[in-house]
């Protein structure tokens, strides 16, 4: 596998994760960083995830990653800045972290692969594209994810 193929695999992991999040959240590409034999693809969620909904949001992603065969390697259960870390069987590292103002960040880091040129991601963000610019704080309100009401106890509402 070369770096371009690894980047496409990382994009595929991210695409699948975002399809699993319902209701849908708005996102934009973050910076791609390239090392000597690896790279990381990033996405920032532009939908505000309220403090009351963060646990549910992380739960949706964690269940999807487990169902997809990724091993959950660590969970940071901080109320303010929670995070989930996982690893795929082929060595890709996955991270979801929540930062200031409820903004969620995803990163997929590749294992060491053959050096090659790496193209920009082909997936189109479903919100403004901030490529090459600083990503602002989340600014999209969603009736579900941004709600200050606690999640219903039934698991069917966010799955």
């Amino acid at each position: 596998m070369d770096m371009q193929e690894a980047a496409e695999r990382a994009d595929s992991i991210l695409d699948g994760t975002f399809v699993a999040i319902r209701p849908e959240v708005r996102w934009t590409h973050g910076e791609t960083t390239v090392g000597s034999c690896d790279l990381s693809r990033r996405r920032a969620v532009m939908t505000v995830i309220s403090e009351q909904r963060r646990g549910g949001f992380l739960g949706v992603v964690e269940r999807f990653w487990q169902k997809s065969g990724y091993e959950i390697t660590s969970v940071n259960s901080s109320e303010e800045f929670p995070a989930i870390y996982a690893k795929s069987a082929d060595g890709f590292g996955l991270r979801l972290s929540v930062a200031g103002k409820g903004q969620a960040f995803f990163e997929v880091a590749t294992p060491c692969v053959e050096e090659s040129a790496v193209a920009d991601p082909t997936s189109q963000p479903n919100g403004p594209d901030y490529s090459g610019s600083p990503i602002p704080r989340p600014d999209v309100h969603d009736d579900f994810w941004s709600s200050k009401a606690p999640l219903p106890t039934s698991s069917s509402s966010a799955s």
Side-chain angles (χ1 to χ4, degrees):
M1 180 180 288
D2 66 20
M3 289 175 131
Q4 180 58 42
E5 292 166 328
E8 290 168 5
R9 169 89 170 107
D11 292 340
S12 173
I13 291 169
L14 290 165
D15 288 344
T17 300
F18 277 86
V19 166
I21 299 169
R22 293 288 172 244
E24 175 182 69
V25 293
R26 299 281 176 219
W27 63 271
T28 189
H29 288 290
E31 182 182 12
T32 295
T33 53
V34 178
S36 59
C37 71
D38 60 352
L39 64 103
S40 291
R41 291 283 214 210
R42 294 177 181 82
R43 291 186 186 176
V45 175
M46 299 310 299
T47 301
V48 175
I49 309 296
S50 72
E51 187 176 333
Q52 294 81 355
R53 300 293 169 108
R54 286 180 199 158
F57 183 79
L58 273 75
V60 166
V61 172
E62 182 176 7
R63 286 188 298 277
F64 173 73
W65 285 354
Q66 287 174 322
K67 186 176 130 183
S68 299
Y70 307 135
E71 175 192 356
I72 304 301
T73 57
S74 180
V75 174
N76 175 348
S77 54
S78 162
E79 284 189 34
E80 192 174 2
F81 302 117
I84 302 171
Y85 302 86
K87 193 164 202 97
S88 69
D90 53 354
F92 286 71
L94 293 70
R95 179 181 70 189
L96 162 58
S97 57
V98 177
K101 303 290 184 193
Q103 190 162 35
F105 293 94
F106 287 83
E107 178 179 358
V108 176
T110 71
C112 189
V113 294
E114 266 184 55
E115 187 177 1
S116 72
V118 178
D120 290 337
T122 57
S123 301
Q124 292 300 309
N126 64 0
D129 187 352
Y130 295 102
S131 298
S133 304
I135 297 172
R137 296 283 192 176
D139 57 3
V140 176
H141 177 83
D142 177 83
D143 289 343
F144 182 81
W145 292 117
S146 306
S147 173
K148 304 269 189 224
L151 273 175
T153 54
S154 165
S155 62
S156 63
S157 61
S159 310

